[in-house]
Amino acid sequence: MASLGFGIDIGGSGMKAAIVDLDNGTLVSERLRIPTPKPATPAAMAAVAAELVHRHQWSGPIGVGFPGIVRHGVVHSAANLDASWVGVDADRVFTAACGADTHMVNDADAAGLAEVRWGAGRGVAGVVLVLTFGTGIGSGLFVDGILVPNTELGHLELDGRDAESHAAASVREREGIGWAEWTPRVERYLRHVEMLFSPDLIVIGGGASKAADQWLPSISISTPIVGAAMANNAGIVGAALVARVAAR
Ligand code: BGC
């Protein structure tokens, strides 16, 4: 019998969830999406998480990818959500709302765990950097398959500004610029990151990876770079994986 898990991926605009087959990292249910509440407070978001669990009729441990720093279940930053998240024991709040053990991790770390295990980073030795381009820029750094959590490379300061405020996928939409104008911003950012970390592979995930053919081929850097194999589902899959590991 397949070993199943449940993952929720919290984004700036939507909360997405599915049941995951943890033997192969695929989704085995519909992927449900509920818009992220505004304001995106802990209580409002915990209620949406409970609704997602209920709609999937899931019982068992729950993994949640969160767009901020999460250390041992406690949120330390939430750049694109409500500031009241900071200092909240998210594991406790979501566990109470969902009625099942819930484990929260950074969203890009979750996506990276899935990509390294089943996707584009599978079997790659050395330094693998998974970068997600969505509302913000997320980063998951792996050394020989081991995660270095909460690297937050989207907030590197570059050219006097926070990198994600210039090169996240949401900025392209907000400023109404085309791929041709946005891609050089990403390339500039990637060159900076490769200079700092000398990765063996960069994997690009997040919302912008769905349209990778529009822009990824025109990126020219020294490091091998590929689109996420699990597209935008990696966050859900990785979160489900974390919950299973924590439940052992
Ligand atoms: C947050 C990161 C997150 C990234 C992608 C950034 O603004 O600081 O924690 O991984 O957005 O959601």
Side-chain angles (χ1 to χ4, degrees):
M1 207 178 80
S3 144
L4 300 181
F6 189 74
I8 301 177
D9 185 21
I10 295 180
S13 60
M15 293 175 60
K16 296 138 278 186
I19 299 173
V20 178
D21 181 336
L22 291 173
D23 291 329
N24 58 21
T26 57
L27 303 193
V28 291
S29 74
E30 195 189 344
R31 181 181 190 270
L32 290 177
R33 178 184 188 279
I34 297 180
T36 303
K38 289 192 184 357
T41 59
M45 293 176 70
V48 171
E51 171 71 14
L52 288 165
V53 172
H54 174 72
R55 283 211 217 159
H56 275 294
Q57 301 193 315
W58 173 256
S59 62
I62 299 161
V64 181
F66 180 87
I69 299 172
V70 185
R71 296 182 62 197
H72 313 294
V74 177
V75 170
H76 288 261
S77 78
N80 297 302
L81 299 175
D82 195 76
S84 62
W85 267 107
V86 176
V88 168
D89 184 336
D91 279 6
R92 203 156 53 87
V93 172
F94 272 47
T95 296
C98 298
D101 263 357
T102 304
H103 299 278
M104 202 171 269
V105 284
N106 172 264
D107 56 354
D109 287 347
L113 284 165
E115 284 295 331
V116 162
R117 185 153 181 153
W118 290 295
R122 183 177 180 162
V124 179
V127 178
V128 174
L129 184 57
V130 179
L131 295 171
T132 61
F133 288 81
T135 305
I137 299 177
S139 59
L141 179 66
F142 294 82
V143 183
D144 288 334
I146 306 290
L147 171 68
V148 182
N150 293 307
T151 43
E152 290 292 323
L153 301 184
H155 296 297
L156 282 173
E157 187 181 321
L158 186 57
D159 302 326
R161 62 193 151 206
D162 188 47
E164 80 168 24
S165 70
H166 189 58
S170 60
V171 177
R172 196 184 72 79
E173 287 149 32
R174 197 164 60 237
E175 294 185 9
I177 57 176
W179 297 108
E181 201 175 326
W182 179 73
T183 308
R185 297 183 182 191
V186 177
E187 185 174 297
R188 164 94 180 100
Y189 171 70
L190 293 173
R191 282 180 188 276
H192 187 60
V193 166
E194 77 177 345
M195 183 271 291
L196 291 173
F197 292 93
S198 299
D200 294 291
L201 176 70
I202 294 178
V203 178
I204 300 291
S209 68
K210 283 188 284 188
D213 56 328
Q214 302 277 332
W215 61 277
L216 202 48
S218 46
I219 295 278
S220 170
I221 57 173
S222 311
T223 309
I225 181 165
V226 291
M230 308 172 78
N232 212 10
N233 288 334
I236 293 177
V237 173
L241 183 63
V242 167
R244 181 180 64 180
V245 171
R248 273 191 186 144

